[in-house]
Amino acid sequence: MPRKISLFSIVMLTLSSIIGSGWLFGSGMAAQIAGPAAIISWILGGVIIGIIALNYIELGTMFPTTGGMSQYASFSHGPLLGFVAGWANWISLLTIIPIEAVAAVQYMSSWPWSWANWTRSFITNGNITDRGLVIVFLFMAAFTLLNFWSVKLLTSFTSLIAIFKMAVPILTIGILMLSGFNTGNFHSAAGFMPYGSSTIFTATTAAGIIFSYNAFQTTINMGDEIEHPEKNIFWGIVISFGISIVIYTLLQVAFIGSVPTVKLAAAGWHGINFQSPFADIALLLNLSWLADILYIEAFVSPFGTGVSFVATTSRALAAMTTTRHLPTFLGRLSQKYRTPRTSMIVNLFLGILMAACFRNWSALSNVISTSTLIAYITGPVTLMTFRKLAPDWQRPFRLQAARLLAPLAYLLGCLAIYWAKWPTTIEVFGVIGLGLIFYVIYEIRRPMGITRLLASLKGARWLVLELLWLTIMSLIGSHQFGGNGWLPYPGDFGLVILGSLGCYYLGIHDGYFGLETKTAQELNQKNNY
């Protein structure tokens, strides 16, 4: 694909992806889980994903290819690991499309205007109704159509949306801090950390914080569609990610300080459960004009994110076909518009199925966070494997202190998976395991298929052991993270780290040169930096 997305457009596209439904729901959910300490959760989540992103910037500039995050693991550890990583990443991306549509419809259901009474039937007991699902499907179809024709249309649309999406949260922060902001909320109702320190970690996944920061990969997956990728991949991520961390953290501060003291005294933070968090607070503060803007933003913000992730998800699915373990027609590009149209259509129908199965924002965000992290932990291992196997390859961006930052990113990612709590961990691992059925079917039909399948197990055994270790730890870990309490908190963190560190070094040891590595070498040599 031609390199034609500028730095400004990639920053706007990434911001449009990051500032989505996470800010509309995340602050309310995080405060409900952790109280004022949710501020730390947003900073911690930003640090975790930020350090992971640094690893992927080096890989992204080494191999600037469309849908790259679905391919890097196969370059260093063979087709089986590449497929598992790509499948986990694709599942997380696929889920984002329906979750953004669900978020928009959930806010629509509480529109206060008299002419919008018909939207009340979209939600019942926190779940999308059948009537609401019809609107969800229409949103998803619109997301897809805006990506169907060209990258130029996509970037023009998302650049406009991104400006609006940043302006409204910033306005909300300012108005709430000037109207009804009570600093006493930060230490009343059992203090700054009312439910213990463990809730800080729980909120990073359960409140959708990891999910909210997930969109840095929009830049990575655009690959060779970016103008001057050797520098714009780095700056696109750094600029957009830095802006989003500041906005999200200040939104949490504004939310905590603006919750009416009467409500807080009556129910505590666990009892604060707004259907439309910021809009509901605005109405309680008699800021109806702000509430109106927020209801409009609740339509526009998820819409912009959904549009962006149709592009990312279609490219991720198309990239997975390069290993020939999925039908190759999924990777075909439109001759005229150079977009993977078939992948977009398949993702649309699968997204509709997911929306019908998972009918609320909270459940979807937890699944996304966990599956995303499974894909992400392959990045640091791949990075250090290439440092060992191919030290002389071109690295337009070379991560400084990688010997420290790569294992740190890996361990933080594994801890965040553990924080998702049992049984979410094993449920997501099961969904990831379903993808292996496709892999085995396609592999055994190829010449020397069984032999290749057995050979590829070496490159993937470290991740299998990691998921097995996290499953065991999640089951026997502390009560704070859904376990049986055989290990006390925070000692369980130490054992998670110890076992994961062993899997990390095994992963670096198991990297090897294969057919996929030759493809990576060709990509690296084609760069004209």
Side-chain angles (χ1 to χ4, degrees):
M1 291 186 182
R3 300 180 179 179
K4 54 185 177 183
I5 302 181
S6 67
L7 175 60
F8 175 78
S9 291
I10 202 65
V11 168
M12 291 296 101
L13 180 61
T14 306
L15 277 173
S16 185
S17 301
I18 294 176
I19 310 297
S21 60
W23 88 269
L24 297 169
F25 293 96
S27 294
M29 292 180 62
Q32 188 179 22
I33 293 170
I39 296 168
I40 301 175
S41 300
W42 282 100
I43 297 172
L44 178 62
V47 169
I48 291 171
I49 300 301
I51 293 175
I52 290 173
L54 288 174
N55 289 261
Y56 277 99
I57 293 173
E58 178 168 323
L59 295 171
T61 54
M62 285 181 71
F63 314 112
T65 179
T66 299
M69 290 189 69
S70 297
Q71 302 181 63
Y72 301 143
S74 67
F75 292 164
S76 60
H77 289 79
L80 178 55
L81 183 70
F83 182 86
V84 173
W87 181 268
N89 188 54
W90 173 65
I91 289 295
S92 68
L93 294 173
L94 176 65
T95 312
I96 291 174
I97 300 172
I99 200 177
E100 295 301 325
V102 166
V105 172
Q106 189 165 330
Y107 259 77
M108 284 177 65
S109 70
S110 61
W111 276 353
W113 308 301
S114 57
W115 58 264
N117 288 335
W118 57 280
T119 65
R120 304 288 191 273
S121 61
F122 292 170
I123 296 284
T124 299
N125 297 324
N127 291 321
I128 300 290
T129 63
D130 290 341
R131 182 175 295 181
L133 277 177
V134 174
I135 308 302
V136 169
F137 300 161
L138 292 175
F139 271 118
M140 293 171 62
F143 298 165
T144 301
L145 290 174
L146 279 169
N147 279 271
F148 209 64
W149 286 284
S150 71
V151 170
K152 182 178 180 180
L153 177 61
L154 167 65
T155 54
S156 298
F157 176 80
T158 52
S159 293
L160 179 63
I161 290 293
I163 294 172
F164 180 75
K165 289 173 68 175
M166 285 186 291
V168 175
I170 292 170
L171 174 67
T172 302
I173 292 167
I175 295 300
L176 291 183
M177 285 187 172
L178 293 172
S179 305
F181 189 83
N182 184 3
T183 56
N185 287 358
F186 292 87
H187 53 77
S188 62
F192 181 77
M193 201 179 296
Y195 309 116
S197 59
S198 64
T199 58
I200 294 173
F201 306 109
T202 301
T204 60
T205 51
I209 291 174
I210 294 293
F211 155 68
S212 297
Y213 287 124
N214 176 47
F216 81 86
Q217 64 173 292
T218 300
T219 303
I220 301 293
N221 279 324
M222 284 295 179
D224 56 357
E225 296 172 81
I226 298 173
E227 185 179 71
H228 303 302
E230 72 280 5
K231 59 180 181 180
N232 286 347
I233 288 178
F234 171 76
W235 286 112
I237 289 176
V238 168
I239 294 171
S240 57
F241 202 74
I243 292 172
S244 64
I245 289 177
V246 172
I247 290 175
Y248 275 129
T249 303
L250 290 178
L251 280 166
Q252 186 67 72
V253 171
F255 181 87
I256 290 169
S258 300
V259 172
T261 306
V262 175
K263 277 187 165 290
L264 191 57
W269 288 106
H270 279 347
I272 302 301
N273 186 22
F274 295 120
Q275 182 170 320
S276 307
F278 284 104
D280 290 346
I281 284 181
L283 289 174
L284 288 172
L285 295 175
N286 294 317
L287 299 170
S288 58
W289 64 270
L290 178 61
D292 290 345
I293 293 175
L294 288 168
Y295 281 118
I296 295 171
E297 163 69 0
F299 170 81
V300 173
S301 190
F303 199 93
T305 301
V307 169
S308 299
F309 269 93
V310 167
T312 303
T313 307
S314 64
R315 285 159 176 78
L317 179 58
M320 288 172 63
T321 64
T322 60
T323 63
R324 299 186 183 279
H325 293 105
L326 285 177
T328 55
F329 70 83
L330 294 174
R332 292 174 187 165
L333 300 178
S334 164
Q335 292 297 315
K336 182 176 182 180
Y337 297 108
R338 309 302 294 166
T339 54
R341 285 184 159 190
T342 305
S343 291
M344 288 181 189
I345 294 172
V346 170
N347 286 334
L348 172 62
F349 282 101
L350 291 176
I352 289 172
L353 178 63
M354 294 191 74
C357 295
F358 300 96
R359 298 197 178 199
N360 66 74
W361 191 91
S362 178
L364 285 168
S365 68
N366 209 3
V367 171
I368 292 170
S369 298
T370 307
S371 56
T372 296
L373 288 163
I374 293 171
Y376 281 174
I377 61 175
T378 64
V381 174
T382 295
L383 171 66
M384 295 311 295
T385 300
F386 274 116
R387 289 283 184 97
K388 181 184 73 172
L389 295 178
D392 297 327
W393 285 14
Q394 295 184 73
R395 288 175 171 81
F397 171 83
R398 185 178 182 89
L399 179 62
Q400 300 299 312
R403 290 185 179 276
L404 171 63
L405 292 176
L408 179 60
Y410 182 87
L411 294 176
L412 287 173
C414 291
L415 282 170
I417 293 172
Y418 175 69
W419 299 337
K421 291 188 174 184
W422 181 275
T424 299
T425 45
I426 190 62
E427 290 171 350
V428 175
F429 295 167
V431 173
I432 302 304
L434 288 176
L436 294 177
I437 296 174
F438 292 96
Y439 182 88
V440 172
I441 291 174
Y442 274 83
E443 188 67 12
I444 62 177
R445 293 169 60 187
R446 301 171 66 181
M448 301 290 289
I450 296 179
T451 302
R452 281 172 48 86
L453 177 62
L454 294 175
S456 65
L457 289 175
K458 179 184 176 182
R461 64 179 179 177
W462 67 270
L463 183 59
V464 173
L465 290 173
E466 181 63 74
L467 297 184
L468 179 61
W469 177 249
L470 291 174
T471 298
I472 294 171
M473 291 302 302
S474 187
L475 177 62
I476 70 174
S478 59
H479 291 302
Q480 287 90 334
F481 298 97
N484 289 319
W486 297 356
L487 298 171
Y489 165 81
D492 47 349
F493 285 14
L495 279 179
V496 170
I497 290 172
L498 185 63
S500 296
L501 196 60
C503 294
Y504 168 80
Y505 284 111
L506 177 63
I508 296 174
H509 174 271
D510 286 349
Y512 65 92
F513 267 99
L515 294 176
E516 292 76 16
T517 317
K518 293 180 180 179
T519 300
Q521 186 174 23
E522 292 172 0
L523 280 171
N524 187 255
Q525 291 174 345
K526 287 180 180 179
N527 293 329
N528 296 315
Y529 298 139

